[in-house]
Every structure is written in structure tokens, then in C-alpha cells.
Amino acid sequence: MKDHSMEISMSEAAPTQKPRTAPPETRRRQLIDATITAISKHGISGTTLTAVTREAGLSLGLVSFHFKNKETLFAETLKFLAQEHRELWVRELTRSDLAPAGKLGAIVDAQFHPRICNRKKLSVWFAFFGEATHRKAYRSTSSEIDMERQTVCTELCRDIIRDGAYTGVAPEGIAATLEGLFDGLWLNFLMYPNRFTREEAHRQVLSYLALVFPRHFG
């Protein structure tokens, strides 16, 4: 009988090696992707440069060439995730065919896009947030983008309130509530995979907006 466990063990021990030559940006991206995978498997404290290079199928020397040290690699990984997320919704804000409600909906869509809202990447976000030694890096990288998004949401809510003649609602409060929903639903999606889906989380946020702005999201 064929020993499948031996096949798995051998496969893990000898990851596929990447071609020897590639553009610097390709190598950097390979190492960042491997870091995301390694952190999602082992957490931050358990992720070593050796673990990253095994995931990438690259040598330790390439990490030193493209990144000064592990801290720099981690910082660049977090920066990549933040920029990837930001680009999804910023792109929609430039569309002339979208009204404020459509642009606010696009920001919600970006929060739960499969490329962003998946358990591998969310586990990395929360790993940085959860470890005290890396929380400062998390704040410095993500806080500016988070505040930018909240400011944009506030202005979009203000436009929607004006357009729909809504009363008794504050744009700042709605934007802050959205941020809380985004974070909470991300955590639920990560922690309780059998109970929360990406689609259900998306619907819950839109249901909240339908309560606040029934003439625009109802």
C-alpha cells in the first residue's frame, strides 16, 4: 500500500523552488505573499525567516537582499495589505456615474471583497493587532487609512442626508458605526467560520444602512 503520509512529509520538506531570476518586484511580492501565508499558519511569534522562505521556495539570502530584516518584511507585508484594501474603494470614488449612496455602497463592498475578506488575510490583520510588540506598527500603518475611510464615509453620509432630507441622524455617528461593524464582522467571520459568511456580513451592513437611509438603501 502506498504511504501517502510520506508523500505529504516529503512535499512539505522540499517546497518547489522558484526560478533563479525574476524582477525585484516579483521577488518582493513572492516574499510578502509567503509572509502572509506563514503568519496565517504560525502567528507572528511563530513566523521565522526560514518559515517564510520555505513558503516562498526562495533562499534566506533573497530576504536579506530585498528586506533589511524580519521587522522590515513584516512592516512591508502590513503596508501591502493596507494598500491593497484601500485601492479597492478609492478607485470607486473617482467614478462619475456613482452617486454618494453608490460610493458608500462601494466602500462596504470593498470591506467584504473575497480578495480582502478571507481568513488567511484577516488572520494576519488580527495577528498584528493582537500582539503588543507589533500593535504600534499596526496603528502606524492602518490608522491613517482607517481615518481616511471614516472621513470619506462621513462626507458621503452628509451628502446622502442632504439629498434625502433625513433628520435626526449624524453623519459622523453613522461613519463611526460602520467602522465598528466592519471590524466586528471581520472578527466574527474569522473566529466562527461555521456561523458567519462573507455574504451574510455584507448583508448585515447594508441592512443597517437601509434602516438609516431607507430612501437610498431600502
Side-chain angles (χ1 to χ4, degrees), residues 77-90:
T77 298
L78 191 58
K79 183 178 178 181
F80 167 81
L81 289 175
Q83 290 296 335
E84 178 187 47
H85 183 197
R86 181 181 183 274
E87 285 170 7
L88 275 180
W89 58 266
V90 166

Side-chain angles (χ1 to χ4, degrees), residues 2-103:
K2 198 171 185 179
D3 189 346
H4 293 286
S5 64
M6 180 63 72
E7 289 183 355
I8 294 172
S9 176
M10 291 176 66
S11 173
E12 289 178 345
T16 302
Q17 290 292 315
K18 300 293 187 296
R20 287 183 176 274
T21 59
E25 285 307 308
T26 298
R27 287 293 187 233
R28 286 175 61 86
R29 178 61 189 272
Q30 287 171 348
L31 290 167
I32 286 172
D33 287 344
T35 303
I36 291 170
T37 300
I39 293 175
S40 71
K41 289 180 178 180
H42 311 296
I44 288 182
S45 60
T47 297
T48 63
L49 291 182
T50 299
V52 171
T53 54
R54 282 176 60 83
E55 290 289 345
L58 299 171
S59 69
L60 277 170
L62 275 172
V63 181
S64 301
F65 179 78
H66 291 286
F67 301 96
K68 184 179 179 180
N69 49 40
K70 186 172 78 169
E71 287 66 33
T72 303
L73 174 58
F74 281 7
E76 289 299 312
T77 298
L78 191 58
K79 183 178 178 181
F80 167 81
L81 289 175
Q83 290 296 335
E84 178 187 47
H85 183 197
R86 181 181 183 274
E87 285 170 7
L88 275 180
W89 58 266
V90 166
R91 185 175 58 216
E92 300 301 305
L93 295 180
T94 63
R95 288 178 51 183
S96 59
D97 61 317
L98 282 183
K103 292 179 179 180

Side-chain angles (χ1 to χ4, degrees), residues 17 158 211:
Q17 290 292 315
R158 185 169 284 116
L211 288 172

Side-chain angles (χ1 to χ4, degrees), residues 78-204:
L78 191 58
K79 183 178 178 181
F80 167 81
L81 289 175
Q83 290 296 335
E84 178 187 47
H85 183 197
R86 181 181 183 274
E87 285 170 7
L88 275 180
W89 58 266
V90 166
R91 185 175 58 216
E92 300 301 305
L93 295 180
T94 63
R95 288 178 51 183
S96 59
D97 61 317
L98 282 183
K103 292 179 179 180
L104 185 61
I107 290 176
V108 176
D109 293 345
Q111 291 295 128
F112 301 104
H113 190 285
R115 185 147 51 93
I116 304 301
C117 185
N118 60 71
R119 291 187 175 88
K120 178 188 285 188
K121 289 181 179 176
L122 292 187
S123 66
V124 177
W125 277 115
F126 284 105
F128 276 100
F129 178 76
E131 293 222 7
T133 54
H134 293 277
R135 201 168 295 145
K136 183 177 179 180
Y138 174 92
R139 289 198 195 100
S140 65
T141 300
S142 65
S143 61
E144 184 176 346
I145 291 176
D146 289 346
M147 290 308 300
E148 177 191 18
R149 184 178 58 249
Q150 188 167 340
T151 298
V152 170
C153 286
T154 298
E155 292 307 311
L156 291 174
C157 288
R158 185 169 284 116
D159 291 339
I160 295 169
I161 290 168
R162 186 182 304 113
D163 179 66
Y166 294 104
T167 59
V169 288
E172 296 84 359
I174 297 166
T177 299
L178 285 174
E179 288 296 314
L181 286 172
F182 295 155
D183 288 343
L185 289 168
W186 270 14
L187 184 59
N188 283 340
F189 176 71
L190 176 64
M191 296 297 294
Y192 308 107
N194 295 326
R195 294 175 53 195
F196 290 90
T197 66
R198 184 187 305 110
E199 295 76 16
E200 178 58 27
H202 191 193
R203 282 194 294 271
Q204 287 185 32

